[in-house]
Amino acid sequence: MSLILLVLIPVAAFILFLIVLLFIFFSIPSRRDFHFFRRHAIVTGGSKGIGFQLAVGLIERGCHVTIVARNVKDLEKACADLQVLADQRGQRQKVHWKSIDMTGGYDVIKSAFDDAARELGPIDILINNAGHSVQAPFCELPITDFEKQMAVNYLSAVHATRAVVDDMKTRKTGHISFVSSAAGQFAIFGYSAYSPTKFALRGFADTLHMELLPYKVNVGVLYPPNTDTEGFKVELETMPEETKKMSEAAGLFTPKDVAEAHLKDIADGNYATTMGLDGWMLGVLTAGACPEKSLFRALTQGALAGIFRCITLVYLGYFNGITKKCYRRRLAEAEEQRETEQQRKRE
């Protein structure tokens, strides 16, 4: 009897595993490859950094591209550089630019996007990359910074998406991307204004993915870590000590690497794009109830989420230690300064 059990138990476990595997396989939406050639793509925040590199990658894949930003001088330079790249391909690709204040409201964005569609054809790809970051302890941030961050990082993407989604649904084709952040998966010291806006993008994208499934419109989210852009260099100048030390643990990536990783995921029909080992771990850990189209990724998430939760607790402990250490050091410095001033008064 024991020998029979030794045989039956592994067989039963294997059969159970296959049943679970089949349930997962038939539960996840099928992946649809996305083809870029001759498509019209709009990239918000497309004059610099990740947005510019996304535009470069789209041109290299055969797209017409409209880049959107506020600064006309930056747009003109970026557009000229992109058009040179497009002309070198010899496929009559066009690059246009639109100067838009993405916080100007839906009507402003809709009007500009309609103009872009008349110039280069229906909008097939929208990459919501426009964004801005400020870091400081919560009590030091002006309340207006919270409102500005939400307007730029979240509401601008909502308005831009509303401007194109009806046409995509009618034509039953298209792709919409949202550039979130690793800070939209893992909030740390100093990001009380920024992280919530990036978490909001994830929630919006998850909802939109489900709503657009019947219309064959793909949705994706990019979670870039620290990226070597002009904007990030500016952020470093005012970044709190705690935030800077915590950010160093994640490394630094190039805009080109980030853009290429996301464009590959778009082409493959994947939902989420992460970067590096830490980014992959965060993607597995925070998958939760987000969409997943890859059976391999789904099984990886199920198998490793608990382990990665434990690892993340270690990270959190380390970051909490940084916060406390910086706090104690500032207290000691303040006390030393007070004693120095008292000594001067006595003298």
Side-chain angles (χ1 to χ4, degrees):
M1 180 66 71
S2 59
L3 182 61
I4 295 175
L5 286 176
L6 286 174
V7 174
L8 288 180
I9 289 174
V11 171
F14 181 70
I15 293 172
L16 181 62
F17 172 74
L18 288 179
I19 292 172
V20 171
L21 194 66
L22 286 171
F23 267 107
I24 295 174
F25 177 77
F26 287 109
S27 296
I28 63 177
S30 58
R31 285 195 295 178
R32 292 188 298 269
D33 292 346
F34 189 84
H35 303 287
F36 294 96
F37 189 67
R38 307 307 291 177
R39 302 285 193 119
H40 177 197
I42 287 188
V43 183
T44 68
S47 62
K48 293 182 178 180
I50 294 173
F52 179 78
Q53 288 299 325
L54 285 165
V56 168
L58 288 163
I59 288 170
E60 291 174 343
R61 288 162 174 79
C63 290
H64 302 297
V65 175
T66 300
I67 56 173
V68 173
R70 283 190 302 177
N71 189 294
V72 172
K73 186 176 180 180
D74 290 341
L75 282 166
E76 289 176 339
K77 182 182 183 305
C79 189
D81 292 342
L82 292 169
Q83 189 62 65
V84 168
L85 176 63
D87 292 342
Q88 289 171 349
R89 290 177 48 81
Q91 295 180 344
R92 298 182 180 179
Q93 293 165 256
K94 296 180 180 178
V95 183
H96 287 187
W97 59 267
K98 298 288 178 187
S99 176
I100 308 173
D101 180 358
M102 293 300 293
T103 65
Y106 171 73
D107 291 337
V108 171
I109 294 171
K110 174 64 173 170
S111 175
F113 280 21
D114 286 347
D115 287 343
R118 284 190 288 269
E119 293 166 1
L120 298 181
I123 297 165
D124 302 296
I125 304 164
L126 169 64
I127 300 185
N128 290 292
N129 172 68
H132 177 61
S133 174
V134 293
Q135 302 97 19
F138 171 69
C139 292
E140 295 179 15
L141 282 168
I143 289 298
T144 52
D145 278 350
F146 291 84
E147 296 163 354
K148 289 176 182 176
Q149 291 279 279
M150 189 60 72
V152 175
N153 298 344
Y154 175 65
L155 289 176
S156 72
V158 173
H159 295 155
T161 300
R162 177 62 69 84
V164 304
V165 72
D166 284 340
D167 182 59
M168 289 183 178
K169 288 168 65 177
T170 299
R171 294 185 293 117
K172 291 196 173 179
T173 184
H175 177 89
I176 301 171
S177 275
F178 300 91
V179 179
S180 179
S181 168
Q185 300 168 293
F186 192 143
I188 62 174
F189 187 103
Y191 281 116
S192 59
Y194 179 70
S195 281
T197 66
K198 295 301 186 176
F199 273 92
L201 280 179
R202 151 76 184 271
F204 179 45
D206 285 3
T207 303
L208 202 63
H209 174 273
M210 187 178 293
E211 292 188 11
L212 296 182
L213 271 177
Y215 301 95
K216 300 180 180 178
V217 177
N218 288 354
V219 176
V221 183
L222 168 60
Y223 296 104
N226 292 337
T227 307
D228 190 14
T229 64
E230 292 181 28
F232 182 68
K233 290 173 183 175
V234 172
E235 292 170 20
L236 284 174
E237 294 175 1
T238 58
M239 188 178 286
E241 178 187 3
E242 293 90 338
T243 309
K244 191 176 296 185
K245 288 184 176 180
M246 294 174 196
S247 297
E248 288 171 355
L252 190 66
F253 290 79
T254 68
K256 183 176 181 179
D257 288 342
V258 173
E260 283 297 313
H262 188 50
L263 291 173
K264 184 180 184 304
D265 275 332
I266 292 175
D268 293 341
N270 289 318
Y271 179 72
T273 301
T274 58
M275 297 296 300
L277 181 60
D278 286 347
W280 172 69
M281 184 181 73
L282 269 181
V284 170
L285 179 65
T286 62
C290 82
E292 184 51 70
K293 298 180 180 180
S294 165
L295 180 61
F296 175 75
R297 290 188 181 191
L299 293 176
T300 302
Q301 291 158 8
L304 298 178
I307 297 171
F308 287 171
R309 170 58 175 162
C310 295
I311 295 173
T312 304
L313 288 172
V314 175
Y315 269 93
L316 282 168
Y318 172 63
F319 292 162
N320 289 338
I322 289 174
T323 301
K324 293 175 181 177
K325 184 177 180 180
C326 291
Y327 171 73
R328 288 194 295 266
R329 181 182 56 75
R330 278 194 286 268
L331 278 182
E333 288 176 352
E335 178 63 23
E336 183 179 348
Q337 183 177 359
R338 187 181 65 82
E339 290 178 357
T340 300
E341 291 176 353
Q342 289 179 344
Q343 179 68 27
R344 286 175 181 173
K345 288 179 181 179
R346 286 194 294 268
E347 292 174 353

